[in-house]
Each structure stands twice: as structure tokens, then as C-alpha cells.
């Protein structure tokens, strides 16, 4: 099996970018060890604080965020970093080449039950004309990502990553401490009989979502099964490897009218991985990767998976007109300040 660094070099990845990726993975390996220790390392339970999203922070949220932030702040080629757990971006090095955004611990509600959790990250080229401390460093589209990936902490620790060529899967070798290439090119199966959505929200769904899910459950020749991990990394990993569709759409609840998931930290990197694995991604009306980031913690509806399913869901977009909720296309018509 090939090691990570030789694979990146064969893909023509810049040596400075490789160093930034190595730093991210150094943090993920340390985090994987702490997670494996569970209660033995005092990482379970919640703090008394809330993050910028208004969510109660788990102890491991704070640990993970600090770990990634500290290691990336020591990397000379990093200009700025943005975290789902931070109010603002963190300037690192004015002359740095890259900006890094991350969700340090996706699925943190699963920590105390030993469920699936992970780290999601994305890397862009920095902008020399904008100060490193200005959030507009990240005012780019998903198509401008130069690397995206996630680390899934589970029975084995997996790295799923793309630098724009293919979505590749690496497994952490605990014997030698490095990531080894285990799936050279991950491809989303075209045929699917699984979907992933939080059915508890169905009363508040838009008509588009109601019609689509009802069709899956009642109007198909094949029987569809629902799967839901309450961690995007786990649900997306299942779709990438087994096919299907993942949905976290907008709905009529206050605060969810533009979706729940964050565009920068979750939707952008997962959409790139899905695209480079031959799948499809959408807001429900158009490509996630073509959306501009208009604010640092912007939310967006997410639908991604096997292309046929995403196309079918998107074809129902006109039904949203009867919901009384502003659609995402209207929100995205804004211009970047």
C-alpha cells in the first residue's frame, strides 16, 4: 500500500500544500488517540459554554478546536484559519499561501454514546490583496477549493480526501502512525436504495422534500431504507461507499429557512468529495459548489449522493413556491461585500 505523501506527490500537489495537509493530519491523529481513550482521558460530557452557532459545546469540541488551531498557527504557509467553533477568523501569517477552514468535531452529540464523529476540513488559496484578519479571505466559491477532506474516527480511522483529481480513502496504520492508501478512487454507486434524513423534522419540511421522501417510501418498485447517524461525516461516508442520498434541507422552522449545515465548514468540502467521486450535490435548486460565501458562518440546504436521486429531488424545486419560505436562490442573489 502507498503512503499518503507519495500519492500526493504523484498527483502533483505543491510541496507547501502537502505540509499543511500533514499538519491537519497530525492534529487528527492526536485527536483520534484522545477519542479512543474516551472517559479515561476526561473528554466526555459538555461544557457550560455555547459556540457561535448557539450550540452547547462538548468538552471534546473545545479540545479538538484548540488542537487544530494551535498546530495550524505554527504552519508558516497558512495565512488564516476559520473554525465552526470560532466567532471570527484567526489570522496566522500575512505572507502565508493558504487559508484553512474546519469543523473540528462533526457529530459531537455522538461523543458520549461512542457513536460516529469526525473532522471536516477545506483549503483554499489565500488572497494577497486582503488582510489575513479579514473574513473575506474565505469569500470564495466551493469550486475554488484546492483540497477538501474528512477524518472519520471509528473502528479504524479513515481519511477521505480530494485535491481535485479523485476522492481517495486512506486508513491510519496504528503500527507505523501513517495514513495508507486503501481505496485509490472512491466512486459513488449509481444504483441506490438508501436515504439519509432526519425524519423528525418532516412536519416542517417544504413541499419539495415531502413529495420526494413520500415517493421513495411509497411509489418505487424497490424498497428504500432510511439511515441516520446524526453526524454528517458518517452519513456522507455511507453514501460515498454504498450509494444513496443525504439530505439536510431547509424547512419552515425559525433559523432553518436557509438550512442548518454550514456552507464553508461542511457543505463545500463534502460537495467537492461527492463530485470527485462521481456523485452529485445540490442546494435543492443548484450546485453547492457554485454558491459564493456571503458570510463566515453561512448556512445552506444540502442534498448530495447518487446523481439520479439528486436530480430527482431538484426537479421538484418548483413545489417550494407553496411553502411560503424564501428559497435559497433568492438568498444567493446577494453580492459579496
Amino acid at each position: 500500500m502507498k503512503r499518503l505523501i507519495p500519492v500526493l506527490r504523484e498527483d502533483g500537489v505543491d510541496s507547501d500544500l502537502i505540509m499543511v495537509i500533514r499538519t491537519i493530519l497530525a492534529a487528527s491523529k492526536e485527536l483520534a488517540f484522545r477519542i479512543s481513550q474516551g472517559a479515561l482521558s476526561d473528554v466526555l460530557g459538555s461544557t457550560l459554554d455555547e459556540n457561535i452557532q448557539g450550540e452547547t459545546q462538548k468538552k471534546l469540541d473545545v479540545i479538538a478546536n484548540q488542537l487544530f488551531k494551535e498546530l495550524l498557527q505554527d504552519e508558516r504557509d497558512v495565512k488564516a484559519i476559520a473554525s465552526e467553533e470560532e466567532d471570527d477568523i484567526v489570522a496566522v501569517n500575512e505572507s502565508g499561501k493558504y487559508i484553512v477552514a474546519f469543523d473540528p468535531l462533526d457529530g459531537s452529540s455522538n461523543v458520549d454514546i461512542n457513536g460516529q464523529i469526525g473532522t471536516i476540513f477545506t483549503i483554499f488559496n489565500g488572497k494577497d490583496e486582503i488582510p489575513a484578519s479579514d473574513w473575506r479571505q474565505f469569500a470564495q466559491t466551493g469550486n475554488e477549493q484546492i483540497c477538501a477532506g474528512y477524518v472519520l474516527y471509528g473502528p479504524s480511522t479513515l481519511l477521505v480526501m480530494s485535491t481535485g483529481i479523485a476522492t481517495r480513502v486512506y486508513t491510519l496504520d496504528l503500527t507505523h502512525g501513517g495514513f495508507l492508501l486503501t481505496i485509490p478512487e472512491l466512486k459513488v454507486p449509481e444504483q441506490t436504495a438508501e436515504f439519509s434524513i432526519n425524519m423528525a423534522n418532516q412536519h416542517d419540511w417544504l413541499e419539495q422534500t415531502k413529495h420526494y421522501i413520500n415517493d421513495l417510501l411509497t411509489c418505487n418498485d424497490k424498497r428504500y431504507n432510511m439511515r441516520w447517524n446524526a453526524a454528517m461525516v458518517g452519513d456522507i461516508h455511507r453514501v460515498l461507499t454504498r450509494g444513496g442520498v443525504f439530505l439536510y434541507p431547509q424547512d419552515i422552522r425559525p433559523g432553518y429557512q436557509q438550512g442548518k449545515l454550514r456552507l464553508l465548514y461542511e457543505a463545500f468540502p463534502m460537495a467537492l468529495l461527492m463530485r470527485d467521486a462521481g456523485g452529485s450535490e445540490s442546494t435543492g435548486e443548484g450546485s453547492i459548489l457554485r454558491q459564493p460565501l456571503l458570510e463566515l458562518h453561512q448556512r445552506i440546504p444540502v442534498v448530495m449522493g447518487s446523481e439520479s436521486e439528486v436530480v430527482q429531488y431538484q426537479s421538484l424545486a418548483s413545489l417550494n413556491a407553496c411553502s411560503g419560505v424564501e428559497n435559497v436562490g433568492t438568498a444567493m442573489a446577494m453580492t459579496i461585500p
Side-chain angles (χ1 to χ4, degrees), residues 281-299:
E281 44 75 26
S282 176
T283 65
E285 296 183 336
S287 172
I288 292 169
L289 293 172
R290 291 200 295 267
Q291 304 296 336
L293 187 76
L294 305 176
E295 59 183 50
L296 194 60
H297 297 290
Q298 179 178 336
R299 298 175 188 264

mmCIF file with all atom_site columns, all heavy atoms in Angstrom, residues 281-299:
data_model
loop_
_atom_site.group_PDB
_atom_site.id
_atom_site.type_symbol
_atom_site.label_atom_id
_atom_site.label_alt_id
_atom_site.label_comp_id
_atom_site.label_asym_id
_atom_site.label_entity_id
_atom_site.label_seq_id
_atom_site.pdbx_PDB_ins_code
_atom_site.Cartn_x
_atom_site.Cartn_y
_atom_site.Cartn_z
_atom_site.occupancy
_atom_site.B_iso_or_equiv
_atom_site.pdbx_formal_charge
_atom_site.auth_seq_id
_atom_site.auth_comp_id
_atom_site.auth_asym_id
_atom_site.auth_atom_id
_atom_site.pdbx_PDB_model_num
ATOM 1   N N   . GLU A 1 281 ? -24.278 16.978 -6.141  1.00 0.00 ? 281 GLU A N   1
ATOM 2   C CA  . GLU A 1 281 ? -24.529 17.805 -4.958  1.00 0.00 ? 281 GLU A CA  1
ATOM 3   C C   . GLU A 1 281 ? -25.398 18.985 -5.350  1.00 0.00 ? 281 GLU A C   1
ATOM 4   O O   . GLU A 1 281 ? -25.334 19.465 -6.469  1.00 0.00 ? 281 GLU A O   1
ATOM 5   C CB  . GLU A 1 281 ? -23.208 18.276 -4.350  1.00 0.00 ? 281 GLU A CB  1
ATOM 6   C CG  . GLU A 1 281 ? -22.156 18.776 -5.332  1.00 0.00 ? 281 GLU A CG  1
ATOM 7   C CD  . GLU A 1 281 ? -22.437 20.150 -5.889  1.00 0.00 ? 281 GLU A CD  1
ATOM 8   O OE1 . GLU A 1 281 ? -23.132 20.927 -5.202  1.00 0.00 ? 281 GLU A OE1 1
ATOM 9   O OE2 . GLU A 1 281 ? -21.980 20.456 -6.993  1.00 0.00 ? 281 GLU A OE2 1
ATOM 10  N N   . SER A 1 282 ? -26.235 19.434 -4.409  1.00 0.00 ? 282 SER A N   1
ATOM 11  C CA  . SER A 1 282 ? -27.177 20.494 -4.735  1.00 0.00 ? 282 SER A CA  1
ATOM 12  C C   . SER A 1 282 ? -27.697 21.168 -3.473  1.00 0.00 ? 282 SER A C   1
ATOM 13  O O   . SER A 1 282 ? -27.696 20.579 -2.388  1.00 0.00 ? 282 SER A O   1
ATOM 14  C CB  . SER A 1 282 ? -28.361 19.915 -5.527  1.00 0.00 ? 282 SER A CB  1
ATOM 15  O OG  . SER A 1 282 ? -29.346 20.892 -5.781  1.00 0.00 ? 282 SER A OG  1
ATOM 16  N N   . THR A 1 283 ? -28.159 22.399 -3.638  1.00 0.00 ? 283 THR A N   1
ATOM 17  C CA  . THR A 1 283 ? -28.906 23.084 -2.583  1.00 0.00 ? 283 THR A CA  1
ATOM 18  C C   . THR A 1 283 ? -30.371 22.684 -2.623  1.00 0.00 ? 283 THR A C   1
ATOM 19  O O   . THR A 1 283 ? -31.149 23.050 -1.744  1.00 0.00 ? 283 THR A O   1
ATOM 20  C CB  . THR A 1 283 ? -28.844 24.608 -2.770  1.00 0.00 ? 283 THR A CB  1
ATOM 21  O OG1 . THR A 1 283 ? -29.511 24.953 -3.991  1.00 0.00 ? 283 THR A OG1 1
ATOM 22  C CG2 . THR A 1 283 ? -27.404 25.099 -2.821  1.00 0.00 ? 283 THR A CG2 1
ATOM 23  N N   . GLY A 1 284 ? -30.755 21.942 -3.626  1.00 0.00 ? 284 GLY A N   1
ATOM 24  C CA  . GLY A 1 284 ? -32.152 21.656 -3.919  1.00 0.00 ? 284 GLY A CA  1
ATOM 25  C C   . GLY A 1 284 ? -32.591 22.377 -5.178  1.00 0.00 ? 284 GLY A C   1
ATOM 26  O O   . GLY A 1 284 ? -33.600 22.032 -5.793  1.00 0.00 ? 284 GLY A O   1
ATOM 27  N N   . GLU A 1 285 ? -31.790 23.380 -5.578  1.00 0.00 ? 285 GLU A N   1
ATOM 28  C CA  . GLU A 1 285 ? -32.092 24.144 -6.785  1.00 0.00 ? 285 GLU A CA  1
ATOM 29  C C   . GLU A 1 285 ? -30.892 24.255 -7.714  1.00 0.00 ? 285 GLU A C   1
ATOM 30  O O   . GLU A 1 285 ? -31.044 24.358 -8.919  1.00 0.00 ? 285 GLU A O   1
ATOM 31  C CB  . GLU A 1 285 ? -32.577 25.554 -6.413  1.00 0.00 ? 285 GLU A CB  1
ATOM 32  C CG  . GLU A 1 285 ? -33.892 25.557 -5.650  1.00 0.00 ? 285 GLU A CG  1
ATOM 33  C CD  . GLU A 1 285 ? -34.379 26.969 -5.364  1.00 0.00 ? 285 GLU A CD  1
ATOM 34  O OE1 . GLU A 1 285 ? -33.552 27.899 -5.333  1.00 0.00 ? 285 GLU A OE1 1
ATOM 35  O OE2 . GLU A 1 285 ? -35.595 27.142 -5.179  1.00 0.00 ? 285 GLU A OE2 1
ATOM 36  N N   . GLY A 1 286 ? -29.685 24.269 -7.158  1.00 0.00 ? 286 GLY A N   1
ATOM 37  C CA  . GLY A 1 286 ? -28.474 24.412 -7.960  1.00 0.00 ? 286 GLY A CA  1
ATOM 38  C C   . GLY A 1 286 ? -27.272 23.916 -7.193  1.00 0.00 ? 286 GLY A C   1
ATOM 39  O O   . GLY A 1 286 ? -27.362 23.508 -6.036  1.00 0.00 ? 286 GLY A O   1
ATOM 40  N N   . SER A 1 287 ? -26.115 23.966 -7.851  1.00 0.00 ? 287 SER A N   1
ATOM 41  C CA  . SER A 1 287 ? -24.895 23.407 -7.282  1.00 0.00 ? 287 SER A CA  1
ATOM 42  C C   . SER A 1 287 ? -24.428 24.155 -6.045  1.00 0.00 ? 287 SER A C   1
ATOM 43  O O   . SER A 1 287 ? -24.353 25.393 -6.031  1.00 0.00 ? 287 SER A O   1
ATOM 44  C CB  . SER A 1 287 ? -23.779 23.430 -8.334  1.00 0.00 ? 287 SER A CB  1
ATOM 45  O OG  . SER A 1 287 ? -22.543 23.072 -7.763  1.00 0.00 ? 287 SER A OG  1
ATOM 46  N N   . ILE A 1 288 ? -24.074 23.415 -5.004  1.00 0.00 ? 288 ILE A N   1
ATOM 47  C CA  . ILE A 1 288 ? -23.467 23.990 -3.806  1.00 0.00 ? 288 ILE A CA  1
ATOM 48  C C   . ILE A 1 288 ? -22.123 24.612 -4.151  1.00 0.00 ? 288 ILE A C   1
ATOM 49  O O   . ILE A 1 288 ? -21.772 25.693 -3.665  1.00 0.00 ? 288 ILE A O   1
ATOM 50  C CB  . ILE A 1 288 ? -23.285 22.904 -2.729  1.00 0.00 ? 288 ILE A CB  1
ATOM 51  C CG1 . ILE A 1 288 ? -24.642 22.429 -2.195  1.00 0.00 ? 288 ILE A CG1 1
ATOM 52  C CG2 . ILE A 1 288 ? -22.407 23.396 -1.580  1.00 0.00 ? 288 ILE A CG2 1
ATOM 53  C CD1 . ILE A 1 288 ? -24.569 21.190 -1.330  1.00 0.00 ? 288 ILE A CD1 1
ATOM 54  N N   . LEU A 1 289 ? -21.362 23.948 -4.995  1.00 0.00 ? 289 LEU A N   1
ATOM 55  C CA  . LEU A 1 289 ? -20.007 24.392 -5.312  1.00 0.00 ? 289 LEU A CA  1
ATOM 56  C C   . LEU A 1 289 ? -19.962 25.720 -6.047  1.00 0.00 ? 289 LEU A C   1
ATOM 57  O O   . LEU A 1 289 ? -18.930 26.391 -6.056  1.00 0.00 ? 289 LEU A O   1
ATOM 58  C CB  . LEU A 1 289 ? -19.277 23.319 -6.127  1.00 0.00 ? 289 LEU A CB  1
ATOM 59  C CG  . LEU A 1 289 ? -18.973 22.018 -5.386  1.00 0.00 ? 289 LEU A CG  1
ATOM 60  C CD1 . LEU A 1 289 ? -18.442 20.965 -6.338  1.00 0.00 ? 289 LEU A CD1 1
ATOM 61  C CD2 . LEU A 1 289 ? -17.972 22.269 -4.257  1.00 0.00 ? 289 LEU A CD2 1
ATOM 62  N N   . ARG A 1 290 ? -21.062 26.120 -6.652  1.00 0.00 ? 290 ARG A N   1
ATOM 63  C CA  . ARG A 1 290 ? -21.093 27.404 -7.359  1.00 0.00 ? 290 ARG A CA  1
ATOM 64  C C   . ARG A 1 290 ? -21.594 28.547 -6.480  1.00 0.00 ? 290 ARG A C   1
ATOM 65  O O   . ARG A 1 290 ? -21.624 29.691 -6.922  1.00 0.00 ? 290 ARG A O   1
ATOM 66  C CB  . ARG A 1 290 ? -21.970 27.295 -8.613  1.00 0.00 ? 290 ARG A CB  1
ATOM 67  C CG  . ARG A 1 290 ? -21.374 26.424 -9.702  1.00 0.00 ? 290 ARG A CG  1
ATOM 68  C CD  . ARG A 1 290 ? -21.998 26.727 -11.048 1.00 0.00 ? 290 ARG A CD  1
ATOM 69  N NE  . ARG A 1 290 ? -23.417 26.393 -11.076 1.00 0.00 ? 290 ARG A NE  1
ATOM 70  C CZ  . ARG A 1 290 ? -23.913 25.226 -11.481 1.00 0.00 ? 290 ARG A CZ  1
ATOM 71  N NH1 . ARG A 1 290 ? -23.079 24.271 -11.869 1.00 0.00 ? 290 ARG A NH1 1
ATOM 72  N NH2 . ARG A 1 290 ? -25.208 24.995 -11.484 1.00 0.00 ? 290 ARG A NH2 1
ATOM 73  N N   . GLN A 1 291 ? -21.990 28.249 -5.251  1.00 0.00 ? 291 GLN A N   1
ATOM 74  C CA  . GLN A 1 291 ? -22.504 29.298 -4.371  1.00 0.00 ? 291 GLN A CA  1
ATOM 75  C C   . GLN A 1 291 ? -21.348 30.123 -3.792  1.00 0.00 ? 291 GLN A C   1
ATOM 76  O O   . GLN A 1 291 ? -20.353 29.572 -3.345  1.00 0.00 ? 291 GLN A O   1
ATOM 77  C CB  . GLN A 1 291 ? -23.309 28.687 -3.216  1.00 0.00 ? 291 GLN A CB  1
ATOM 78  C CG  . GLN A 1 291 ? -24.443 27.792 -3.638  1.00 0.00 ? 291 GLN A CG  1
ATOM 79  C CD  . GLN A 1 291 ? -25.524 28.524 -4.421  1.00 0.00 ? 291 GLN A CD  1
ATOM 80  O OE1 . GLN A 1 291 ? -25.674 29.735 -4.291  1.00 0.00 ? 291 GLN A OE1 1
ATOM 81  N NE2 . GLN A 1 291 ? -26.252 27.790 -5.226  1.00 0.00 ? 291 GLN A NE2 1
ATOM 82  N N   . PRO A 1 292 ? -21.480 31.441 -3.775  1.00 0.00 ? 292 PRO A N   1
ATOM 83  C CA  . PRO A 1 292 ? -20.456 32.268 -3.127  1.00 0.00 ? 292 PRO A CA  1
ATOM 84  C C   . PRO A 1 292 ? -20.682 32.314 -1.619  1.00 0.00 ? 292 PRO A C   1
ATOM 85  O O   . PRO A 1 292 ? -21.828 32.300 -1.157  1.00 0.00 ? 292 PRO A O   1
ATOM 86  C CB  . PRO A 1 292 ? -20.685 33.652 -3.749  1.00 0.00 ? 292 PRO A CB  1
ATOM 87  C CG  . PRO A 1 292 ? -22.152 33.670 -4.064  1.00 0.00 ? 292 PRO A CG  1
ATOM 88  C CD  . PRO A 1 292 ? -22.526 32.260 -4.425  1.00 0.00 ? 292 PRO A CD  1
ATOM 89  N N   . LEU A 1 293 ? -19.603 32.348 -0.856  1.00 0.00 ? 293 LEU A N   1
ATOM 90  C CA  . LEU A 1 293 ? -19.726 32.510 0.590   1.00 0.00 ? 293 LEU A CA  1
ATOM 91  C C   . LEU A 1 293 ? -19.959 33.989 0.886   1.00 0.00 ? 293 LEU A C   1
ATOM 92  O O   . LEU A 1 293 ? -19.119 34.841 0.583   1.00 0.00 ? 293 LEU A O   1
ATOM 93  C CB  . LEU A 1 293 ? -18.454 32.027 1.292   1.00 0.00 ? 293 LEU A CB  1
ATOM 94  C CG  . LEU A 1 293 ? -18.556 32.010 2.820   1.00 0.00 ? 293 LEU A CG  1
ATOM 95  C CD1 . LEU A 1 293 ? -19.393 30.820 3.275   1.00 0.00 ? 293 LEU A CD1 1
ATOM 96  C CD2 . LEU A 1 293 ? -17.175 31.970 3.467   1.00 0.00 ? 293 LEU A CD2 1
ATOM 97  N N   . LEU A 1 294 ? -21.105 34.307 1.477   1.00 0.00 ? 294 LEU A N   1
ATOM 98  C CA  . LEU A 1 294 ? -21.501 35.689 1.742   1.00 0.00 ? 294 LEU A CA  1
ATOM 99  C C   . LEU A 1 294 ? -21.278 36.117 3.180   1.00 0.00 ? 294 LEU A C   1
ATOM 100 O O   . LEU A 1 294 ? -21.264 37.299 3.494   1.00 0.00 ? 294 LEU A O   1
ATOM 101 C CB  . LEU A 1 294 ? -22.980 35.882 1.376   1.00 0.00 ? 294 LEU A CB  1
ATOM 102 C CG  . LEU A 1 294 ? -23.364 35.479 -0.058  1.00 0.00 ? 294 LEU A CG  1
ATOM 103 C CD1 . LEU A 1 294 ? -24.848 35.627 -0.269  1.00 0.00 ? 294 LEU A CD1 1
ATOM 104 C CD2 . LEU A 1 294 ? -22.573 36.308 -1.063  1.00 0.00 ? 294 LEU A CD2 1
ATOM 105 N N   . GLU A 1 295 ? -21.127 35.148 4.070   1.00 0.00 ? 295 GLU A N   1
ATOM 106 C CA  . GLU A 1 295 ? -20.771 35.423 5.465   1.00 0.00 ? 295 GLU A CA  1
ATOM 107 C C   . GLU A 1 295 ? -20.114 34.182 6.025   1.00 0.00 ? 295 GLU A C   1
ATOM 108 O O   . GLU A 1 295 ? -20.346 33.065 5.550   1.00 0.00 ? 295 GLU A O   1
ATOM 109 C CB  . GLU A 1 295 ? -21.983 35.833 6.290   1.00 0.00 ? 295 GLU A CB  1
ATOM 110 C CG  . GLU A 1 295 ? -23.095 34.808 6.328   1.00 0.00 ? 295 GLU A CG  1
ATOM 111 C CD  . GLU A 1 295 ? -24.298 35.297 7.114   1.00 0.00 ? 295 GLU A CD  1
ATOM 112 O OE1 . GLU A 1 295 ? -24.764 36.416 6.857   1.00 0.00 ? 295 GLU A OE1 1
ATOM 113 O OE2 . GLU A 1 295 ? -24.762 34.535 7.995   1.00 0.00 ? 295 GLU A OE2 1
ATOM 114 N N   . LEU A 1 296 ? -19.298 34.371 7.049   1.00 0.00 ? 296 LEU A N   1
ATOM 115 C CA  . LEU A 1 296 ? -18.413 33.303 7.505   1.00 0.00 ? 296 LEU A CA  1
ATOM 116 C C   . LEU A 1 296 ? -19.162 32.052 7.946   1.00 0.00 ? 296 LEU A C   1
ATOM 117 O O   . LEU A 1 296 ? -18.767 30.933 7.613   1.00 0.00 ? 296 LEU A O   1
ATOM 118 C CB  . LEU A 1 296 ? -17.540 33.825 8.655   1.00 0.00 ? 296 LEU A CB  1
ATOM 119 C CG  . LEU A 1 296 ? -16.330 32.970 9.037   1.00 0.00 ? 296 LEU A CG  1
ATOM 120 C CD1 . LEU A 1 296 ? -15.378 32.810 7.858   1.00 0.00 ? 296 LEU A CD1 1
ATOM 121 C CD2 . LEU A 1 296 ? -15.607 33.602 10.220  1.00 0.00 ? 296 LEU A CD2 1
ATOM 122 N N   . HIS A 1 297 ? -20.251 32.225 8.692   1.00 0.00 ? 297 HIS A N   1
ATOM 123 C CA  . HIS A 1 297 ? -20.976 31.075 9.234   1.00 0.00 ? 297 HIS A CA  1
ATOM 124 C C   . HIS A 1 297 ? -22.291 30.839 8.494   1.00 0.00 ? 297 HIS A C   1
ATOM 125 O O   . HIS A 1 297 ? -23.279 30.371 9.081   1.00 0.00 ? 297 HIS A O   1
ATOM 126 C CB  . HIS A 1 297 ? -21.226 31.270 10.724  1.00 0.00 ? 297 HIS A CB  1
ATOM 127 C CG  . HIS A 1 297 ? -19.953 31.357 11.534  1.00 0.00 ? 297 HIS A CG  1
ATOM 128 N ND1 . HIS A 1 297 ? -19.130 30.267 11.725  1.00 0.00 ? 297 HIS A ND1 1
ATOM 129 C CD2 . HIS A 1 297 ? -19.365 32.390 12.175  1.00 0.00 ? 297 HIS A CD2 1
ATOM 130 C CE1 . HIS A 1 297 ? -18.096 30.637 12.468  1.00 0.00 ? 297 HIS A CE1 1
ATOM 131 N NE2 . HIS A 1 297 ? -18.215 31.919 12.749  1.00 0.00 ? 297 HIS A NE2 1
ATOM 132 N N   . GLN A 1 298 ? -22.289 31.141 7.222   1.00 0.00 ? 298 GLN A N   1
ATOM 133 C CA  . GLN A 1 298 ? -23.483 30.992 6.377   1.00 0.00 ? 298 GLN A CA  1
ATOM 134 C C   . GLN A 1 298 ? -23.987 29.547 6.352   1.00 0.00 ? 298 GLN A C   1
ATOM 135 O O   . GLN A 1 298 ? -23.217 28.600 6.305   1.00 0.00 ? 298 GLN A O   1
ATOM 136 C CB  . GLN A 1 298 ? -23.124 31.438 4.956   1.00 0.00 ? 298 GLN A CB  1
ATOM 137 C CG  . GLN A 1 298 ? -24.220 31.340 3.929   1.00 0.00 ? 298 GLN A CG  1
ATOM 138 C CD  . GLN A 1 298 ? -23.739 31.872 2.582   1.00 0.00 ? 298 GLN A CD  1
ATOM 139 O OE1 . GLN A 1 298 ? -22.817 32.671 2.507   1.00 0.00 ? 298 GLN A OE1 1
ATOM 140 N NE2 . GLN A 1 298 ? -24.358 31.427 1.515   1.00 0.00 ? 298 GLN A NE2 1
ATOM 141 N N   . ARG A 1 299 ? -25.309 29.403 6.395   1.00 0.00 ? 299 ARG A N   1
ATOM 142 C CA  . ARG A 1 299 ? -25.940 28.082 6.319   1.00 0.00 ? 299 ARG A CA  1
ATOM 143 C C   . ARG A 1 299 ? -26.527 27.867 4.937   1.00 0.00 ? 299 ARG A C   1
ATOM 144 O O   . ARG A 1 299 ? -26.811 28.827 4.211   1.00 0.00 ? 299 ARG A O   1
ATOM 145 C CB  . ARG A 1 299 ? -27.035 27.952 7.387   1.00 0.00 ? 299 ARG A CB  1
ATOM 146 C CG  . ARG A 1 299 ? -26.519 28.072 8.819   1.00 0.00 ? 299 ARG A CG  1
ATOM 147 C CD  . ARG A 1 299 ? -27.657 28.060 9.831   1.00 0.00 ? 299 ARG A CD  1
ATOM 148 N NE  . ARG A 1 299 ? -27.189 28.370 11.173  1.00 0.00 ? 299 ARG A NE  1
ATOM 149 C CZ  . ARG A 1 299 ? -26.874 27.465 12.094  1.00 0.00 ? 299 ARG A CZ  1
ATOM 150 N NH1 . ARG A 1 299 ? -26.982 26.173 11.801  1.00 0.00 ? 299 ARG A NH1 1
ATOM 151 N NH2 . ARG A 1 299 ? -26.460 27.818 13.290  1.00 0.00 ? 299 ARG A NH2 1
#
